């Protein structure tokens, strides 16, 4: 699944993201309510894991805003607040489930699976397409115009991130954070190197180029 995690405790956020990614999920990360709301409003995620105690806007307000704007992505609230009133406020705001901190990762994963099933029913799970480009998420295989593209795991993850954000400019910092976490400096040329690899593999021998550089901003996939 494509999951948005909104959590301001950065160490916990990295641990939860790693746990989710080890289960095969793709995870976007936001550290405050305003950024989380902006990302969630796109409606492209299968599930939102949302802390309540957030800077700029709390999780209950984020959830209420989503529901008022008809974004129906399932929401799992995470919080250290554990009174009945807190749970009721969250559920009344439109949350689908509630998990108090501290929590066992096994329970988190079980709740994620349960909520994810609601989202993927009626879809063709495990496949992403953009024009003649197709990603088989189960086999981690990419094809363009029916021809298999040989990609490393990092290259596949990067291409998946671009496809899920097709038509949007993605900055180098966003790519570093999503694909490599905090292991590399934002000044690293790692993103440019990998984008060069990816462009060569995806766009080679094709008249229509999918991957474009936006000068001073980042990269965009699509027309």
């Amino acid at each position: 699944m494509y999951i948005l995690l909104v959590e301001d405790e950065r160490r916990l956020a990295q641990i939860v993201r790693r746990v989710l990614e080890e289960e095969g999920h793709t995870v976007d990360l936001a550290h405050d309510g305003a950024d989380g709301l902006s990302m969630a409003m796109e409606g492209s995620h299968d599930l939102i894991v949302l802390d309540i105690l957030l800077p700029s806007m709390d999780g209950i307000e984020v959830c209420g805003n989503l529901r008022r704007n008809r974004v129906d992505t399932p929401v799992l609230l995470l919080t250290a607040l554990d009174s009945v009133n807190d749970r009721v406020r969250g559920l009344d705001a439109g949350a689908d489930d509630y998990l108090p901190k501290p929590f066992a990762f096994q329970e988190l994963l079980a709740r994620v699976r349960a909520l994810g099933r609601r989202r993927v029913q009626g879809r063709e799970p495990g496949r992403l397409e953009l024009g003649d480009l197709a990603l088989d998420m189960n086999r981690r295989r990419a094809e363009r115009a029916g021809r298999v593209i040989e990609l490393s795991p990092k290259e596949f993850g990067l291409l998946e991130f671009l496809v899920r954000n097709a038509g949007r400019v993605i900055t180098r910092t966003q790519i570093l954070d999503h694909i490599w976490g905090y292991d590399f400096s934002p000044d690293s040329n790692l993103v440019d190197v990998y984008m060069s690899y990816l462009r060569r593999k995806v766009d080679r021998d094709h008249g229509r180029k999918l991957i474009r550089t936006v000068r001073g901003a980042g990269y965009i996939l699509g027309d």
Side-chain angles (χ1 to χ4, degrees):
M1 290 187 295
Y2 187 28
I3 298 174
L4 172 61
L5 171 62
V6 189
E7 169 60 68
D8 66 317
E9 295 181 43
R10 291 177 180 266
R11 183 172 180 276
L12 176 61
Q14 290 298 324
I15 293 171
V16 171
R17 180 164 76 169
R18 189 176 305 117
V19 168
L20 291 170
E21 288 178 341
E22 286 174 354
E23 288 293 303
H25 304 298
T26 299
V27 182
D28 281 341
L29 188 58
H31 294 299
D32 66 62
D35 285 347
L37 177 62
S38 176
M39 295 168 71
M41 284 292 291
E42 296 166 12
S44 59
H45 297 92
D46 298 306
L47 174 66
I48 301 167
V49 180
L50 178 63
D51 189 26
I52 287 183
L53 299 177
L54 293 168
S56 75
M57 180 184 300
D58 70 36
I60 292 176
E61 187 177 354
V62 171
C63 190
N65 269 283
L66 292 174
R67 298 308 186 231
R68 284 192 295 274
N69 284 279
R70 302 184 184 277
V71 177
D72 64 353
T73 309
V75 172
L76 171 62
L77 289 178
L78 302 179
T79 185
L81 302 174
D82 193 27
S83 72
V84 172
N85 286 339
D86 292 322
R87 291 196 295 269
V88 170
R89 284 179 61 230
L91 295 171
D92 282 348
D96 297 86
D97 201 357
Y98 187 103
L99 185 61
K101 297 177 180 178
F103 50 81
F105 291 127
Q106 295 94 325
E107 183 177 5
L108 170 66
L109 293 173
R111 290 175 185 264
V112 164
R113 287 193 295 270
L115 290 173
R117 284 193 291 269
R118 303 181 192 177
R119 186 67 171 173
V120 300
Q121 285 175 354
R123 292 185 177 181
E124 180 189 356
R127 186 173 178 86
L128 298 174
E129 296 183 355
L130 179 69
D132 60 356
L133 177 66
L135 274 63
D136 184 330
M137 303 305 299
N138 296 320
R139 291 188 288 177
R140 309 295 287 177
R141 189 175 76 173
E143 297 179 356
R144 185 162 185 198
R147 189 173 68 184
V148 174
I149 306 170
E150 298 295 337
L151 299 174
S152 70
K154 286 293 187 188
E155 289 169 344
F156 186 91
L158 178 53
L159 183 57
E160 178 191 355
F161 186 48
L162 292 171
V163 171
R164 290 188 183 277
N165 290 279
R168 296 175 53 209
V169 175
I170 305 299
T171 68
R172 290 170 176 81
T173 300
Q174 287 175 315
I175 293 172
L176 272 174
D177 181 57
H178 184 83
I179 304 298
W180 286 277
Y182 291 96
D183 296 333
F184 293 90
S185 164
D187 296 327
S188 168
N189 70 342
L190 187 65
V191 171
D192 297 318
V193 169
Y194 267 80
M195 289 301 299
S196 176
Y197 294 158
L198 202 57
R199 181 182 278 120
R200 191 160 58 242
K201 293 183 178 183
V202 171
D203 284 338
R204 183 177 53 196
D205 302 327
H206 292 278
R208 186 168 71 97
K209 307 304 181 186
L210 293 178
I211 301 173
R212 292 187 290 117
T213 302
V214 180
R215 188 177 299 276
Y219 296 92
I220 188 169
L221 183 74
D223 296 323

